[in-house]
Amino acid sequence: MIEKSLTIKPQIVMTIAGSDSGGGAGIAADLKTFAALGVHGTCAITSITAQNTTGVLESFDLTPEAIASQIEAVCTDMEVKWAKTGMLASSEIVREVAKEVRKHGLSIVLDPVMAAEAGGNLLRKEAISVLIEELLPLCKVTTPNAFEAGDLAGMAVKTPEDAKVAAKKIADIGVEAVIVTGGHLDATDLLYEATSDTFTRIPGTFVKGGTHGSGCTYSAAVTAFLASGESLESAARKAKKFVEQAILMSRPVGRGAGPINQLGATLDEKERYLVLRELKEAVSILENSFDFSKLIPEVGCNIGMAIPQADGYKDVAAVEGRIVKHKGRAVSVGCVDFGASRHVARIILASLRKNPEIRAAINVKYSREALAACREMKLGISSFDRAEEPENTSTMDWGTVEAIKKYGSVPKVIYDKGGPGKEPMIRLLGASATEVAKLAVELAEKID
Ligand code: PXL
């Protein structure tokens, strides 16, 4: 039996909220956020919404008993200190949740969910006063947006100044801290801490992308950071950054309000790690070959690989100082890193725009013999002529596109015969850095 000893206990948090069948908001957003932030998430579902990106079609509330039973099941087994509340549709649900919060001494982040982004009321009007009177005073933090802050404070919140007045009014109800999120104002969140009577402005950036589930994600992130021991101000800053990244990483889903992507940044990091690992292995394949140094051009060789969906040179990793010939062997000068070579990045980016499966390239020394060996290896070959290059382009952008156009798809080999002051060159393209490194070694073994 294989065992991995993960002895450090995770923080356990809970979301008491509704389900969004579209997977964008509610418990889906909360649990993904908890997972991304390394805490163990549990949930008590309050309502089930039949929902997609165009709005809430129907909503079914669970009975107060069913909600209490879920909270009991979790809290009698696991140590839950911090929890958040989301959609609490009715007065009865709000009252039951307040009872359970008291019973288990939960520290609560209250997200005063009132309406769905794409449309649909999620909190009955008559329940707002019960939420204010019976649940809010039991909570540590509440995270209203401008509209919700207005409803809680009984005023219109249209400016950052209004947000200040509203935050104080809401704190007067009995909650220890209020964060009025600035997504509908100037992107700056306002944190008011009643215990010290202080306001803290938390500036942010408007980012483009789907925002469905951003309120849920924000309050879940605040909860996770507080459970992990962060101060409230630090939790608020980190949660804001987390939401901005998740909006930036949103993907086109559905016809309406697109969901934010809580795991986007984590998966991006994973891909970057895999690319660096792959590239390091490719470099050692080249360094361990007795033949490859024959193929190192005068200007040195570089090898690069992009993450999937790369859209800039910083998404492509390469060797920082190139690979050079030293005592008859290939030696890499510098580490592998993202953004290390705009040159290799241009070749790869131009290729993967035509074929996303092509994510790696290496440049090697041109010779007629090397080109003949490529033909012998039955590699698809294309080329460009520097003399035909228009002004004000980058040779690698233009040349790669030109060679692909001529060939009809991305070939394995793109060469050019050089120009004034420009060494002729062969580029090998492929799906991964190790694939192109192995190809380069095979090619080197075929020539004198
Ligand atoms: O974003 C608020 C929210 C909370 N909970 C559920 C929701 C929504 C918004 O759509 O569907 C279940």
Side-chain angles (χ1 to χ4, degrees), residues 397-428:
D397 288 338
W398 171 82
T400 309
V401 170
E402 191 69 9
I404 292 170
K405 227 191 279 174
K406 253 201 304 194
Y407 189 74
S409 61
V410 181
K412 280 271 181 238
V413 178
I414 295 179
Y415 74 92
D416 78 285
K417 290 188 173 170
K422 293 287 178 192
E423 198 180 356
M425 200 71 70
I426 293 177
R427 296 118 196 132
L428 303 175

Side-chain angles (χ1 to χ4, degrees), residues 68-78:
S69 176
Q70 295 171 78
I71 300 172
E72 287 291 314
V74 174
C75 293
T76 53
D77 178 43
M78 301 175 212

Side-chain angles (χ1 to χ4, degrees), residues 20-54:
D20 163 4
S21 52
I27 54 156
D30 296 341
L31 292 174
K32 281 185 270 187
T33 303
F34 294 155
L37 296 177
V39 296
H40 177 76
T42 64
C43 67
I45 301 180
T46 54
S47 297
I48 295 171
T49 70
Q51 187 177 173
N52 57 30
T53 60
T54 69

